[in-house]
Amino acid sequence: MSESALYVVATPIGNLQDMSQRAVEVLKNAEVIAAEDTRHSARLMAHFNINTRLISVHDHNERQRIDSILDLLRAGSSVALISDAGTPLISDPGFVVVRAVREAGFKVVPVPGCAAFVAALSAAGLPSDRFAFEGFPPSKRSARQQYYLELASESRTLIFYESPHRVLESLKDMSDAMGADRQVVVARELTKTFETIHSAPLAELIDWMVADHNQQKGEFVLLVHGKPKPEAGVVDNNAEHVLDVLLAELPVKQASALASKITGVKKNLLYKLALEKADS
């Protein structure tokens, strides 16, 4: 830390032994630590005997903090950026500050460590060569349902964060959009005492969670197996389910065209199936 820079420092997501020695040294030697919640981070600092001054940088004041952080960098000091847990900017504040610091010509140095979605993916047993991290789904049900429908034909492994008070309804909406047989992994309370990593088709997963209310508590990562590419000339169960949902609200032509965009199945195949359903 011989020159001024913004250090983006990952912190543990639960188990404090996951804190790297480099992260501790950077935090001890920074002029200031910009923390998402100073009260929360104060406990982490106390555990590692870090006495660096904390300032808050969160969703509501991030832009207002830019000038003071740039002033510190111009004065030759280094600043460390942390979130409440894990890697900053991953569904957490920090992007605005990092962009401003880079635009001002100062170095931004990553100090890597924990990220919940990476930890979950490493242990999920789902394809990891191609994946998409989507963060938190929409909180409102109608928007969430549409959101999952739009992702139903994605062939990459999909990764979401979800809150405990929405996780069950979110899985039900996912099942409606992607099909009850879609393989999903729930990773809950990673690195903590009650860590759970459970894999099952959505229908079974929902029943499992309903049967044990404890499985609805904590912090969640949801990992969804990508949709296999359909055989030529075949309308798979997921595409048929999407078509059924749309046919309940739309005319045959419009429903089949939209279902084709969502699922990737050829429009003429879906149109033919829609006509058969309309005549039955």
Side-chain angles (χ1 to χ4, degrees):
M1 299 180 65
S2 58
E3 58 181 319
S4 63
L6 176 69
Y7 289 82
V8 183
V9 182
T11 57
I13 58 176
N15 192 323
L16 294 180
Q17 294 184 56
D18 292 336
M19 185 79 159
S20 74
Q21 185 60 40
R22 183 186 177 203
V24 172
E25 292 303 317
V26 166
L27 295 177
K28 284 184 174 181
N29 287 289
E31 180 71 21
V32 163
I33 298 171
E36 183 180 359
D37 183 334
T38 56
R39 291 172 297 180
H40 177 91
S41 295
R43 296 191 289 273
L44 181 69
M45 301 304 114
H47 181 84
F48 289 101
N49 196 28
I50 298 168
N51 299 310
T52 307
R53 179 166 65 96
L54 291 167
I55 63 170
S56 64
V57 174
H58 48 69
D59 285 329
H60 304 294
N61 74 348
E62 192 171 355
R63 294 183 185 279
Q64 289 71 38
R65 288 295 194 191
I66 289 173
D67 288 343
S68 59
I69 290 173
L70 291 178
D71 286 343
L72 286 165
L73 296 173
R74 292 187 188 104
S77 299
S78 290
V79 177
L81 176 69
I82 63 174
S83 60
D84 286 349
T87 301
L89 282 74
I90 308 301
S91 288
D92 279 326
F95 161 69
V96 173
V97 167
V98 168
R99 180 177 60 182
V101 169
R102 289 182 61 83
E103 289 177 349
F106 294 100
K107 286 182 66 175
V108 177
V109 180
V111 182
C114 297
F117 85 87
V118 175
L121 181 62
S122 72
L126 295 180
S128 56
D129 54 334
R130 297 177 65 245
F131 62 89
F133 173 62
E134 292 287 331
F136 284 91
S139 57
K140 293 186 177 179
R141 187 175 187 190
S142 58
R144 188 169 61 239
Q145 289 172 327
Q146 181 61 34
Y147 174 75
Y148 282 148
L149 275 173
E150 291 171 357
L151 290 171
S153 61
E154 174 60 65
S155 61
R156 294 173 293 178
T157 296
L158 295 169
I159 308 174
F160 307 92
Y161 287 165
E162 192 52 283
S163 62
H165 63 278
R166 280 199 303 264
V167 65
L168 184 57
E169 293 305 315
S170 191
L171 288 171
K172 290 177 180 178
D173 291 337
M174 189 185 291
S175 179
D176 288 342
M178 300 184 184
D181 59 346
R182 184 72 71 98
Q183 192 75 17
V184 172
V185 177
V186 168
R188 184 180 73 90
E189 292 290 88
L190 289 172
T191 80
K192 302 182 180 74
T193 302
F194 297 105
E195 176 181 279
T196 304
I197 301 174
H198 186 75
S199 176
L202 270 166
E204 296 178 20
L205 196 62
I206 291 167
D207 288 344
W208 169 77
M209 191 169 282
V210 169
D212 184 356
H213 187 73
N214 287 324
Q215 301 302 335
Q216 299 175 42
K217 299 176 182 179
E219 297 178 340
F220 289 87
V221 185
L222 308 178
L223 305 99
V224 183
H225 198 296
K227 179 181 178 293
K229 291 186 178 180
E231 299 176 28
V234 175
V235 178
D236 63 12
N237 291 338
N238 179 66
E240 184 172 359
H241 176 73
V242 171
L243 180 63
D244 288 339
V245 171
L246 294 172
L247 282 172
E249 304 292 337
L250 300 171
V252 166
K253 187 174 182 180
Q254 190 176 354
S256 54
L258 184 55
S260 176
K261 288 182 180 179
I262 293 171
T263 65
V265 176
K266 289 185 177 180
K267 182 169 64 176
N268 62 333
L269 291 173
L270 291 166
Y271 183 68
K272 180 181 177 181
L273 179 59
L275 289 175
E276 293 172 0
K277 289 176 176 287
D279 292 338
S280 62

